[in-house]
Amino acid sequence: MSYEVRVEPTGDVIEVEEGQTILDAALRQGVWLPFACGHGTCATCKVQVLEGDADLGNASPFALMDMERDEGKILVCCATPESDLVIEADIDVDPDFQGFSVEDFVGTVTEIQDLSPTIKGISFELDRPMAFQAGQYINLQIPGVEGTRAFSIANPSSDNRRLELHVRLVPGGAGTSWLHEQLEVGTTLDVSGPYGQFFVRKSDDQDAIFIAGGSGLSSPQSMILDMLEEGDSRQIYLFQGARNVAELYNRELFEALEKEHSNFHYVPALNAPEDGDDWNGFTGFVHEAAKAHFDNRFIGHKAYLCGPPPMIDAAITTLMQGRLFERDIHMERFLTAADGAEERPVRHCSSGSEEK
């Protein structure tokens, strides 16, 4: 059994199978609805039901308050129709968004490597090409783990039969523990994607600043490789933060890119280098490295931030103090098991949007 859902003001109509969320159906049919976390906690995908009934699912009481429920609001990432519906959504699609439909794939593990003491690089060969924008993510089905886990794609969009993921081990996390401890080359896993609204605004010719921390390097890596492959002439800056040299993974890749491309600039930063690191680079947090490099003046740039919430918050404050407008700051936060999710990237983008 299926239900028909009409989206206003666009007039798009989607077919939603019984038990399927409205968001999942929309993304698979090429209909864009705003969303971020995908699991009912951020309120980005909140819409108004104009006609019909829906099961609210596991929407957080903080993201969807009792008063809003009484008014007929739902979160499409977890709501399922109980009848045909008409919903009203606040839709503002960025002109640079390519809007590829979400599809299901089978990925075969071709390589597993230790990128750092806590991060593994896992490469998959897909059963067919997946069209995506650099910066987007996939959902991975992990054996014995309820639901899916989201991981950003680290390879450029031109390499569309392969997936490179950077997976940080989350203490106590069932999904990342399995990937770190049990996954083997040759294993096949179900993959769906692409998801997300984190991508380079290529129609904007301002120079680009990337600030990344931990496994949050994955999205910027994909975006930077994509830009350089296309011969983008803008000045591109990557500030990569880590605790020590052992955690500063893929450093050689970016140092080589800096030598090869005159418009790419790489600035690594360590906030707790160890005695044996022989570190001569910037010592401090990654947002401090960006501030020092630009002398606290970021005006005229687009900034793309990816990493844990404390890093994102500090970077946003630094950028705005340095005269960068909110509309020019795009971000991707990573929540972990300690935040009530396990390595689930939560997308936030600019234009003042909270949890895009």
Side-chain angles (χ1 to χ4, degrees):
M1 182 177 182
S2 65
Y3 298 102
E4 185 177 278
V5 177
R6 189 170 82 245
V7 182
E8 297 294 354
T10 63
D12 290 317
V13 176
I14 57 177
E15 292 291 326
V16 186
E17 298 297 323
E18 188 170 9
Q20 184 182 28
T21 68
I22 298 169
L23 178 63
D24 184 65
L27 294 177
R28 290 177 182 276
Q29 293 170 51
V31 176
W32 187 83
L33 293 172
F35 77 101
C37 72
H39 53 273
T41 61
C42 76
T44 303
C45 67
K46 190 181 299 178
V47 303
Q48 177 71 50
V49 175
L50 301 178
E51 296 178 20
D53 299 298
D55 185 317
L56 299 180
N58 60 346
S60 161
F62 300 101
L64 191 65
M65 296 182 290
D66 290 341
M67 178 180 66
E68 293 175 314
R69 295 167 191 247
D70 293 340
E71 293 172 347
K73 290 184 171 60
I74 60 174
L75 304 182
V76 293
C77 73
C78 52
T80 55
E82 294 181 325
S83 69
D84 290 344
L85 290 172
V86 179
I87 61 174
E88 185 176 40
D90 183 13
I91 297 175
D92 182 19
V93 181
D94 191 290
D96 286 315
F97 179 54
Q98 296 180 25
F100 297 114
S101 297
V102 170
E103 298 181 35
D104 295 317
F105 303 84
V106 176
T108 302
V109 179
T110 57
E111 183 180 15
I112 303 172
Q113 59 181 143
D114 293 325
L115 296 177
S116 82
T118 60
I119 299 172
K120 284 189 180 292
I122 303 174
S123 294
F124 295 83
E125 182 179 354
L126 298 175
D127 56 337
R128 65 187 192 282
M130 180 177 72
F132 68 93
Q133 279 186 270
Q136 291 190 294
Y137 69 99
I138 55 91
N139 278 337
L140 194 64
Q141 182 68 61
I142 301 172
V145 178
E146 183 179 357
T148 59
R149 296 295 183 263
F151 298 97
S152 290
I153 303 168
N155 49 287
S157 60
S158 60
D159 196 3
N160 58 13
R161 278 294 297 268
R162 188 175 73 93
L163 284 180
E164 178 186 337
L165 310 179
H166 300 167
V167 180
R168 182 174 71 86
L169 179 62
V170 178
T176 59
S177 294
W178 192 92
L179 293 172
H180 270 249
E181 299 166 7
Q182 299 185 51
L183 184 68
E184 298 178 347
V185 171
T187 300
T188 60
L189 296 178
D190 292 332
V191 176
S192 64
Y195 298 94
Q197 290 281 298
F198 190 54
F199 53 87
V200 175
R201 274 57 181 180
K202 293 184 179 179
S203 64
D204 190 315
D205 61 2
Q206 295 182 97
D207 293 339
I209 298 171
F210 294 89
I211 301 178
S215 61
L217 178 66
S218 51
S219 290
Q221 176 175 305
S222 175
M223 297 157 89
I224 290 167
L225 290 174
D226 206 58
M227 294 175 75
L228 294 177
E229 277 188 5
E230 293 180 355
D232 198 302
S233 62
R234 281 171 290 189
Q235 297 300 305
I236 304 167
Y237 302 85
L238 171 61
F239 297 88
Q240 180 188 5
R243 286 185 56 80
N244 50 52
V245 166
E247 293 288 349
L248 191 70
Y249 72 95
N250 282 3
R251 176 185 176 187
E252 294 81 5
L253 167 66
F254 295 110
E255 288 177 340
L257 289 174
E258 186 175 38
K259 292 178 181 178
E260 184 179 351
H261 300 274
S262 61
N263 64 323
F264 175 64
H265 314 278
Y266 175 55
V267 182
L270 301 183
N271 62 60
E274 298 182 354
D275 292 340
D277 282 344
D278 191 26
W279 180 245
N280 296 316
F282 186 89
T283 300
F285 291 103
V286 67
H287 66 280
E288 296 171 334
K291 180 178 180 178
H293 186 88
F294 284 99
D295 196 24
N296 200 31
R297 288 192 60 83
F298 300 101
I299 192 167
H301 294 82
K302 278 280 187 183
Y304 302 89
L305 321 178
C306 190
M311 186 218 83
I312 296 290
D313 293 339
I316 292 171
T317 299
T318 297
L319 291 168
M320 294 185 72
Q321 288 176 345
R323 303 291 301 279
L324 196 64
F325 291 111
E326 201 171 359
R327 65 173 179 267
D328 289 323
I329 303 174
H330 305 266
M331 68 204 82
E332 178 180 65
R333 298 177 192 259
F334 278 82
L335 300 181
T336 69
D339 304 300
E342 185 180 330
E343 280 298 296
R344 294 185 187 272
V346 179
R347 272 63 188 174
H348 299 237
C349 283
S350 66
S351 301
S353 60
E354 179 68 16
E355 302 260 6
K356 185 226 40 95

